[in-house]
Amino acid sequence: HIIPGGVPRSIFEEKIDPEEFKEKCGIESKMILYLGRLAEKKGIDHLIRAVPLLLKEFPDLKIVIAGPDCGMIWRLKKLARELRIENNTIFTGPLSEKDKYAAIASSEALILPSSFEAQGLVLLEAQALGIPVIATRQGGIPHFIKDGKNGILIEYGKPDQIAEVLKKILKNENLARRLGETGRRLAKEFTWDKIAERILSVYESTLTSKEIS
């Protein structure tokens, strides 16, 4: 049995001003969000390498990289400087729960370009807030993200593919809306109360089978 993590039911009732986070960070344009640890396996360097390709069509776009540093931030900032995109790349450090939700709600899409994720709970949080998600076809992610339905799946380590998919979402409002709406609807099946019901059901079926045998 694969029983995933979940989100609190309250996330669907959050009243979030989508401009609040942008104002706090001085962002006046559209933004793409990475939210998670700044660790090597997360593939953030591939996202940064995709930025110059995005800026050719969206010169004001901001890439927000939020989360605690795990020894990568100096390398990522150095890469951004080398690619001359430091003005379009914002590192926020760790965010509070309130700011995390505000950052998600402010973004055009959330991206998780990791080499491996068991599930990627942040994807579920973004879906619950109606934001399109992009993630690599790695680990447990394809169990929860169905390509083209409630998100878009990409291959790991391909900045050009990251850029193309993000361009598609930035250009096509209908696609972004559809992915966000479908993601939100499906995310309602992963609230903690429903996860608890699944766990209880597994225990009950296990006990029943033992009694029969």
Side-chain angles (χ1 to χ4, degrees), residues 2-210:
I2 297 174
I3 299 178
V7 290
R9 185 172 288 279
S10 61
I11 194 173
F12 294 96
E13 296 148 14
E14 290 278 346
K15 297 288 186 285
I16 302 170
D17 177 358
E19 295 302 313
E20 180 185 340
F21 180 82
K22 286 185 177 181
E23 288 173 7
K24 199 172 186 177
C25 294
I27 298 171
E28 297 180 353
S29 59
K30 291 183 176 182
M31 61 172 260
I32 300 298
L33 179 66
Y34 164 84
L35 181 59
R37 292 182 300 113
L38 275 58
E40 190 158 3
K41 75 162 194 168
K42 295 293 186 175
I44 308 165
D45 54 329
H46 303 306
L47 170 60
I48 290 175
R49 289 184 188 282
V51 176
L53 301 173
L54 286 163
L55 296 183
K56 288 177 181 177
E57 293 185 49
F58 303 95
D60 297 324
L61 184 69
K62 296 290 189 281
I63 306 297
V64 175
I65 297 170
D69 180 33
C70 295
M72 281 288 291
I73 193 165
W74 67 273
R75 286 165 58 185
L76 297 173
K77 286 186 172 181
K78 181 173 180 283
L79 180 60
R81 284 194 304 273
E82 288 171 353
L83 296 172
R84 298 181 180 179
I85 58 164
E86 62 267 39
N87 292 335
N88 296 81
T89 312
I90 298 170
F91 295 86
T92 68
L95 298 178
S96 67
E97 195 80 352
K98 180 185 176 187
D99 284 344
K100 179 175 77 170
Y101 289 161
I104 293 171
S106 298
S107 62
E108 302 301 314
L110 179 136
I111 182 163
L112 196 60
S114 310
S115 62
F116 179 82
E117 293 285 345
Q119 178 184 1
L121 197 55
V122 69
L123 297 172
L124 194 54
E125 292 172 326
Q127 288 180 311
L129 292 170
I131 299 301
V133 298
I134 300 162
T136 43
R137 198 177 268 102
Q138 300 287 327
I141 289 175
H143 288 288
F144 307 100
I145 303 295
K146 302 305 175 189
D147 190 28
K149 185 178 180 184
N150 63 334
I152 297 179
L153 294 175
I154 56 174
E155 301 304 321
Y156 171 72
K158 295 193 174 179
D160 54 339
Q161 198 175 112
I162 291 173
E164 284 307 310
V165 169
L166 285 172
K167 282 180 193 176
K168 194 181 292 187
I169 285 178
L170 289 165
K171 288 177 180 177
N172 190 334
E173 288 183 12
N174 289 333
L175 172 65
R177 189 182 307 111
R178 179 171 58 79
L179 291 172
E181 289 173 354
T182 306
R184 183 174 169 83
R185 187 174 70 250
L186 294 178
K188 288 180 178 178
E189 297 302 313
F190 294 92
T191 55
W192 278 119
D193 55 328
K194 293 196 174 183
I195 298 299
E197 287 174 10
R198 292 191 201 184
I199 294 170
L200 186 59
S201 174
V202 170
Y203 277 127
E204 286 175 347
S205 64
T206 302
L207 289 170
T208 302
S209 63
K210 282 186 176 179

